[in-house]
Amino acid sequence: MASVYDRHVDLNQFMEGVKKRNPGQTEFIQAVQEVAQDIYEFIEDKEEYHEAQILRRIAEPDRVVSFRVCWEDDNHNIRVQRGFRIQNNNAIGPYKGGIRFHPSVNESVLKFLAFEQTFKNSLTGLPMGGGKGGANFNPRGKSDAEVMRFCQSFMTELYRHIGPDTDVPAGDIGVGGREIGYMFGQYKRITNRWEGVLTGKGQEYGGSQMRPEATGYGAVYFLQNMLKHKGEDVEGKTAVISGSGNVATHAAEMITKLGGKVLTLSDSGGFIHDPDGIDQEKIDWIKHLKNVKRGRISEYVDEFKSAEYHEDARPWSVKCDLALPCATQNELSADEAKALVDNGVQGVSEGANMPTTLEGVKVFHDAKIMYGPGKAANAGGVAVSGLEMSQNSERISWNHERLGEMLTDLMKGIHEKCVEYGDNGDGYVDYVKGANIAGFKKVADAMLAFGVV
Ligand code: NDP
């Protein structure tokens, strides 16, 4: 009997379906739109992907786990938060992706992150599927004891959904070494198993060297590869960076090491502009401020008089050669992209996930700026997490130097894959298209091999 099911919906019909099935999930819809427009072009004449409804299946998470997290604050109030783990796709390896603790966390944000993670992990060439998790918990202003109680409560539910061959979470916004330690301790206590179930662990208990640096360094290596492709270099160039957390401070560190000058860093309160440059000594001071004192970036100007603090503002109006958004999603609008282009920016490398809006990305493309999207540019973090998994399984640890070389090679490989699928033939590389297609193809081909599952 002939089928009446239409396998060949066009992009608009496909996106209408995504919107209908995910009402109000704006971040997720934005992420799917960005990928689907490139994939549609790629699969146009490839019947097998249409037949198997691959894109439709990738845009539907394997599993969305949502749970209550109760904990007691220092004043003995009982607090209730919502925790999640999104297991998006495990076609090419165990689910892998960070845990985010931030008040803005909801299902849409985590679904977008898990979706993006699937392509990013595929691009690394390592066997990792895509996932993401978190809770609408704000660690800012909480005591260590409160953070510990929250992490323990969170893991008391999460542990049953994860495992070293099932799903291996890591850190993300609001989840650093302290939080990973508390969660790993609780997992070990509940299961009585020491296994590589989380990455980003402390070096004393199975963490990989180079993991803290990997995302920020990797984003700069990706930028370096883009520049090299055009016969350029980081040396002597000025850089504007947003954020002042793990990714931003390590991106700043590598720009400085390569002879560039970092002009800005920020947090959700505003940004600092230091025309003298934020050198290694100042970066070390910021790391201590953020990780130990848990202070705010505004305090920088009290310590370094050459700098100005701009409250409630983002740094994109500062003239620069290079821009690295390293804070959060949708932190760089079309107008801000225009300001960067008008000020002569040459390259943009995203340390954060989806920091540039769809309209902002269009501005960069129209101006033919070298633009490295997060799923390629910030993949160094998850790549070294993949190496942490390997080291844990083998019960070995590689040294800093070896891991540094592996990270450099991985970022070079990701850049090459993006060029393979994104070279427009006119000298311009569309890195978004390259990353989307290269990331998609491996996952899609694995899914085809499994049949209808
Ligand atoms: P951190 O928590 O260490 O730092 C986050 C930084 O971004 C802080 O300076 C924070 O400021 C700022 N920030 C957070 N939310 C906002 C907001 N709404 N507006 C302005 N600033 C904000 O996180 P990471 O450095 O780990 O993560 C940063 C980005 O990089 C995220 O997009 C994350 O998904 C991505 N990423 C991280 C990886 C990793 O290995 N850690 C791997 C790949 C991607 P404040 O203190 O005021 O909140």
Side-chain angles (χ1 to χ4, degrees):
M1 207 173 81
S3 165
V4 290
Y5 191 76
D6 185 4
R7 297 170 187 142
H8 288 270
V9 293
D10 65 21
L11 177 60
N12 286 336
Q13 289 169 306
F14 171 75
M15 282 313 303
E16 279 314 307
V18 172
K19 286 176 193 158
K20 214 161 131 192
R21 287 188 297 276
N22 302 280
Q25 299 195 347
T26 50
E27 294 84 359
F28 178 64
I29 292 163
Q30 178 184 343
V32 175
Q33 167 90 43
E34 191 247 285
V35 170
Q37 54 206 26
D38 289 328
I39 300 305
Y40 251 84
E41 202 185 310
F42 174 67
I43 63 173
E44 198 178 359
D45 56 351
K46 299 180 178 64
E47 181 58 26
E48 64 276 25
Y49 296 126
H50 292 286
E51 177 95 25
Q53 295 287 322
I54 293 293
L55 194 54
R56 169 89 198 265
R57 284 158 65 186
I58 289 186
E60 193 68 45
D62 288 354
R63 201 166 292 106
V64 174
V65 183
S66 165
F67 50 95
R68 184 182 65 232
V69 187
C70 292
W71 60 285
E72 190 175 341
D73 69 20
D74 288 345
N75 298 319
H76 306 293
N77 300 306
I78 303 303
R79 311 279 286 263
V80 183
Q81 244 75 47
R82 186 170 295 171
F84 296 96
R85 187 71 187 164
I86 315 290
Q87 298 180 329
N88 193 64
N89 189 297
N90 67 352
I92 62 168
Y95 304 107
K96 179 94 199 84
I99 292 179
R100 177 176 292 192
F101 290 162
H102 193 271
S104 63
V105 163
N106 58 34
E107 193 176 313
S108 168
V109 167
L110 295 181
K111 273 171 67 179
F112 117 64
L113 288 163
F115 179 77
E116 288 277 296
Q117 194 83 42
T118 303
F119 301 97
K120 182 191 307 188
N121 293 2
S122 164
L123 268 178
T124 66
L126 301 175
M128 300 180 290
K132 199 83 188 189
N136 60 345
F137 169 73
N138 190 358
R140 198 195 303 161
K142 305 287 190 303
S143 68
D144 284 352
E146 289 177 321
V147 171
M148 181 184 75
R149 288 195 292 274
F150 178 81
C151 288
Q152 290 178 340
S153 183
F154 183 80
M155 185 50 87
T156 302
E157 171 61 31
L158 186 68
Y159 89 95
R160 70 188 83 240
H161 307 289
I162 61 176
D165 296 315
T166 307
D167 183 352
V168 185
D172 191 71
I173 292 180
V175 177
R178 174 182 61 169
E179 291 77 14
I180 293 286
Y182 292 146
M183 287 192 274
F184 188 73
Q186 184 72 349
Y187 179 88
K188 198 168 61 57
R189 174 161 75 170
I190 296 171
T191 61
N192 193 26
R193 290 171 74 89
W194 194 111
E195 52 194 9
V197 71
L198 292 170
T199 58
K201 298 186 291 298
Q203 314 239 320
E204 311 76 22
Y205 59 96
S208 176
Q209 301 228 20
M210 207 62 202
R211 178 60 188 91
E213 298 92 336
T215 308
Y217 280 17
V220 177
Y221 293 154
F222 193 84
L223 182 59
Q224 197 182 24
N225 278 289
M226 289 198 295
L227 287 163
K228 204 168 151 201
H229 195 69
K230 287 270 182 190
E232 296 264 352
D233 198 0
V234 172
E235 195 173 357
K237 295 202 167 49
T238 52
V240 159
I241 302 181
S242 64
S244 49
N246 173 278
V247 180
T249 50
H250 289 108
E253 197 164 284
M254 187 44 71
I255 289 280
T256 307
K257 279 189 205 298
L258 294 176
K261 187 184 195 184
V262 177
L263 299 176
T264 69
L265 284 170
S266 72
D267 62 22
S268 51
F271 77 93
I272 50 141
H273 178 196
D274 188 342
D276 287 356
I278 304 171
D279 59 17
Q280 188 62 53
E281 198 187 323
K282 294 171 178 173
I283 295 167
D284 289 341
W285 185 89
I286 295 169
K287 282 187 184 172
H288 184 79
L289 171 80
K290 287 286 179 174
N291 299 332
V292 181
K293 287 176 67 190
R294 308 224 172 251
R296 309 298 299 152
I297 199 70
S298 56
E299 294 168 49
Y300 181 95
V301 295
D302 301 329
E303 184 73 16
F304 303 105
K305 303 294 177 202
S306 52
E308 282 174 5
Y309 177 62
H310 301 266
E311 200 174 345
D312 283 333
R314 301 194 287 216
W316 313 122
S317 57
V318 174
K319 185 174 166 52
C320 61
D321 304 312
L322 309 169
L324 292 105
C326 295
T328 192
Q329 66 270 9
N330 292 330
E331 55 158 323
L332 205 166
S333 67
D335 285 345
E336 289 165 319
K338 271 192 211 103
L340 282 167
V341 170
D342 290 346
N343 277 330
V345 76
Q346 292 173 32
V348 179
S349 183
E350 294 183 339
N353 285 310
M354 208 169 74
T356 312
T357 61
L358 280 174
E359 298 76 23
V361 174
K362 188 168 180 315
V363 172
F364 292 140
H365 276 158
D366 289 349
K368 300 227 183 289
I369 300 298
M370 280 173 249
Y371 166 70
K375 70 170 73 70
N378 71 34
V382 74
V384 175
S385 274
L387 301 178
E388 184 170 329
M389 289 164 71
S390 305
Q391 292 171 83
N392 288 168
S393 299
E394 283 192 67
R395 305 271 192 262
I396 52 166
S397 52
W398 296 319
N399 66 26
H400 202 266
E401 194 185 2
R402 178 157 183 208
L403 284 154
E405 283 166 12
M406 287 166 119
L407 174 63
T408 313
D409 287 350
L410 279 158
M411 295 313 297
K412 189 164 172 261
I414 293 170
H415 179 266
E416 279 166 8
K417 278 185 209 147
C418 291
V419 173
E420 185 185 341
Y421 290 99
D423 193 338
N424 275 353
D426 58 357
Y428 180 67
V429 180
D430 182 339
Y431 287 96
V432 178
K433 182 165 127 191
N436 282 340
I437 296 174
F440 169 83
K441 192 171 180 315
K442 186 174 169 193
V443 177
D445 290 346
M447 290 171 75
L448 285 181
F450 303 145
V452 183
V453 290

